[in-house]
């Protein structure tokens, strides 16, 4: 098997400028795979259109949801909430042959492989708290006082769970069992929209926002589950870092107002395994 495994996230195709970039995405070879680490868009039809487009171009597409896909947005005719919306997104992905966190893990056997690719859906539980906050309530109070509040608080509903942290804990438990059952001789590529460790959030301009960025329950997963690399997004700070010797790739495109400050139109694809053709 030849080709490369690429990753991207935070495409936010509701913005016309981003949609134009996404429409131009092409693989380098017929053997290339693509991992999409969430926040394709907010509207169900935009998410489906984009994933269908990418699946038509890449040999395999693997998707993990972000918070924006889970929004029950006023502009979206699909009014499903919480787990019901997520399950309908999974159904849609299966209809177009895109792998999800609910499917068997695929194995990348190209350059850098073999590697088990584990797309994860974990959410957050308000444990990445800002300084001085010992509880979720204190962390939220700081955020509201600063005017730094994630839109999730209004439009990401946890139904049928009582709150988002309960949904997060259920997803963490499920994913932990699946990862523990994976081939122990095989390294993994862990893919999650939210960072698995707290450290990437330390560069945020507003530390109050970190509480919507992950959970301390996954802090050692990159070591425990033999990660050759970890892919994430959400922060809109694309970069490569290393924790415990493991490569972490933040692969987001982000909003036009963000990427336009960095120079020319960006390439939304990051090569995780493989070499240029």
């Amino acid at each position: 098997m030849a080709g490369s495994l690429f990753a991207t996230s935070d495409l936010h195709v509701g913005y016309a400028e981003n949609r134009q970039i996404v429409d131009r995405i092409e693989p380098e070879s017929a053997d290339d795979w693509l991992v999409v680490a969430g926040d394709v868009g907010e509207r169900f039809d935009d998410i489906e259109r984009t994933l269908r487009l990418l699946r038509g171009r890449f040999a395999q597409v693997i998707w993990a949801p972000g918070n924006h896909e889970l929004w029950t947005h006023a502009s979206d005719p699909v009014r499903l909430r919480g787990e019901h919306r997520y399950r309908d997104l999974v159904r849609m992905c299966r209809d177009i042959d895109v792998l999800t966190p609910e499917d068997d893990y695929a194995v990348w056997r190209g350059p850098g492989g073999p590697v088990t690719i584990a797309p994860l859906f974990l959410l957050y539980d308000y444990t990445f708290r800002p300084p001085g906050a010992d509880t979720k309530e204190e962390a939220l109070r700081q955020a509201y006082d600063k005017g730094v509040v994630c839109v999730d608080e209004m439009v990401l509903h946890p139904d049928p769970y009582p709150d988002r942290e309960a949904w997060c804990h259920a997803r963490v438990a499920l994913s932990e069992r699946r990862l523990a059952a994976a081939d122990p001789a095989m390294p993994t590529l862990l893919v999650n929209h939210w960072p698995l460790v707290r450290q990437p959030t330390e560069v945020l301009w507003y530390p109050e926002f970190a509480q919507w960025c992950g959970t301390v329950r996954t802090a050692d997963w990159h070591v425990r589950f033999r990660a050759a690399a970890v892919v994430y997004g959400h922060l809109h700070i694309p970069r490569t870092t290393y924790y415990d010797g493991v490569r972490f790739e933040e692969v987001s495109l982000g909003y036009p107002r963000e990427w336009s400050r960095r120079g020319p139109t960006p390439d939304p694809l990051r090569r995780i395994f493989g070499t240029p053709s």
Side-chain angles (χ1 to χ4, degrees):
M1 184 175 173
S4 292
L5 188 148
F6 292 96
T8 191
S9 76
D10 298 82
L11 298 175
H12 295 292
V13 298
Y15 291 88
E17 302 95 323
N18 284 28
R19 186 183 292 248
Q20 290 170 9
I21 291 172
V22 171
D23 285 349
R24 293 195 295 266
I25 290 176
E26 294 283 353
E28 291 180 357
S29 80
D31 297 314
D32 290 348
W33 287 25
L34 178 62
V35 166
V36 182
D39 277 10
V40 174
E42 292 86 33
R43 287 176 56 101
F44 201 99
D45 55 355
D46 281 344
I47 301 164
E48 180 174 6
R49 173 193 176 275
T50 302
L51 291 176
R52 186 184 295 275
L53 172 77
L54 296 173
R55 182 63 187 92
R57 296 178 180 179
F58 286 82
Q60 184 61 265
V61 173
I62 300 168
W63 166 82
N67 54 312
H68 282 238
E69 282 107 336
L70 301 171
W71 287 2
T72 304
H73 197 277
S75 68
D76 193 344
V78 177
R79 306 306 299 163
L80 295 171
R81 293 163 54 118
E83 179 80 8
H84 303 294
R85 182 174 177 87
Y86 170 62
R87 293 293 169 177
D88 211 39
L89 287 163
V90 169
R91 175 203 55 76
M92 176 271 290
C93 284
R94 287 174 170 169
D95 287 346
I96 62 175
D97 192 30
V98 169
L99 295 179
T100 78
E102 305 310 308
D103 297 310
D104 292 340
Y105 295 151
V107 176
W108 168 253
R109 300 190 182 278
V115 175
T116 298
I117 303 175
L120 306 170
F121 167 37
L122 302 175
L123 282 165
Y124 50 84
D125 62 359
Y126 303 88
T127 52
F128 289 0
R129 294 175 188 137
D134 295 323
T135 65
K136 171 189 172 181
E137 291 71 25
E138 291 174 355
L140 283 173
R141 183 166 59 251
Q142 284 191 26
Y144 276 94
D145 287 347
K146 291 283 185 67
V148 181
V149 180
C150 185
V151 178
D152 291 3
E153 292 297 311
M154 281 65 78
V155 295
L156 200 168
H157 305 287
D159 313 26
Y161 294 91
D163 47 41
R164 280 177 289 276
E165 54 265 45
W167 195 5
C168 167
H169 295 166
R171 293 300 313 183
V172 167
L174 172 64
S175 301
E176 192 170 24
R177 289 194 298 271
R178 291 196 64 195
L179 287 169
D183 184 350
M186 187 89 71
T188 62
L189 175 65
L190 302 180
V191 179
N192 188 52
H193 179 66
W194 299 268
L196 295 180
V197 296
R198 172 70 185 264
Q199 291 94 318
T201 69
E202 293 171 356
V203 299
L204 291 173
W205 285 0
Y206 301 102
E208 296 79 13
F209 190 76
Q211 61 194 292
W212 292 283
C213 294
T215 170
V216 298
R217 296 181 179 218
T218 61
D220 65 348
W221 281 22
H222 58 293
V223 175
R224 283 179 60 201
F225 298 120
R226 311 169 303 285
V230 176
V231 167
Y232 69 100
H234 191 58
L235 303 185
H236 295 195
I237 307 173
R239 59 179 180 152
T240 304
T241 52
Y242 290 83
Y243 306 108
D244 302 303
V246 177
R247 176 168 54 110
F248 280 64
E249 298 281 3
E250 209 279 17
V251 298
S252 59
L253 172 60
Y255 301 131
R257 66 177 182 271
E258 296 165 332
W259 56 254
S260 63
R261 293 197 298 262
R262 303 183 189 123
T265 302
D267 181 353
L269 300 186
R270 182 79 59 88
R271 193 187 315 272
I272 308 301
F273 301 121
T275 55
S277 302

